[in-house]
């Protein structure tokens, strides 16, 4: 795959998440809203994988689409990739949008009541706009991931 098609796939995932979140605000059924938000979380996780694939391809890294595996590949090559360093720091922070994405996605995938920051969610509770003080909401995750993707591409274009 070429870099532009990888970027296109990532863009499609982020756009799908954005559209699902917009739809979830317009429905009157709680179950439909929750379903759309769960679908948005899937698209966001897929968008993160798209970003990781873009980074992996751009820097000819080895390994799976896992932050730690890609960081190890960077160490093996003797290079530093700022976006991976940032993702690693976010992953290690208990209150970051990335940690919130992993937690919420895992809870939805495993059909469990999960924790999003300090605010738990379950049937009947919206994720959108109910973030903790750290701003952990599905919309915030979307905006943060989109910003990171754009910064990565801008930085990559400079080289």
């Amino acid at each position: 795959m070429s870099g532009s098609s990888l970027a296109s796939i990532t863009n499609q995932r982020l756009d799908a998440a954005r559209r699902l979140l917009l739809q979830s605000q317009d429905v009157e059924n709680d179950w439909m809203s929750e379903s759309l938000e769960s679908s948005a979380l899937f698209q966001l996780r897929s968008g993160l994988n798209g970003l990781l694939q873009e980074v992996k391809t751009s820097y000819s890294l080895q390994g799976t689409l896992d932050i730690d595996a890609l960081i190890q590949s960077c160490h093996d090559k003797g290079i530093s990739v700022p976006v991976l360093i940032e993702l690693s720091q976010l992953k290690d922070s208990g209150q970051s949008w990335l940690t919130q994405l992993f937690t919420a996605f895992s809870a939805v995938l495993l059909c469990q009541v999960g924790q999003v920051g300090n605010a738990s969610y379950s049937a009947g509770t919206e994720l959108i706009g109910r973030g903790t003080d750290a701003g952990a909401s599905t919309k915030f995750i979307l905006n943060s991931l989109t910003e990171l993707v754009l910064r990565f591409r801008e930085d990559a274009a400079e080289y």
Side-chain angles (χ1 to χ4, degrees), residues 52 56 61-62 64 66-74 84:
L52 294 175
K56 180 180 176 180
L61 300 175
Q62 301 299 313
T64 62
D66 175 78
I67 296 166
D68 294 329
L70 294 176
I71 293 255
Q72 183 59 51
S73 183
C74 287
L84 289 177

Side-chain angles (χ1 to χ4, degrees), residues 7 21 24 38 47 53 59 74-75 81 91 93 95 98 122 126 129 131 153:
L21 290 174
S24 72
S38 295
Q53 185 64 49
Y59 290 92
C74 287
H75 288 304
V81 179
K91 185 177 77 83
S93 169
Q95 295 300 316
L98 184 61
S122 60
E126 295 178 48
R153 291 179 185 161

Side-chain angles (χ1 to χ4, degrees), residues 116-127:
V116 178
N118 296 325
S120 65
Y121 69 91
S122 60
T125 304
E126 295 178 48
L127 290 174

Side-chain angles (χ1 to χ4, degrees), residues 1 4 14-16 24 26 32-33 50 52 58 61-63 65 73 95 97 111 121 134 146 149:
M1 281 185 170
S4 63
L14 296 175
D15 185 54
S24 72
D26 292 336
M32 182 60 123
S33 178
L52 294 175
S58 294
L61 300 175
Q62 301 299 313
L65 295 182
S73 183
Q95 295 300 316
W97 63 264
C111 298
Y121 69 91
T146 300
V149 167

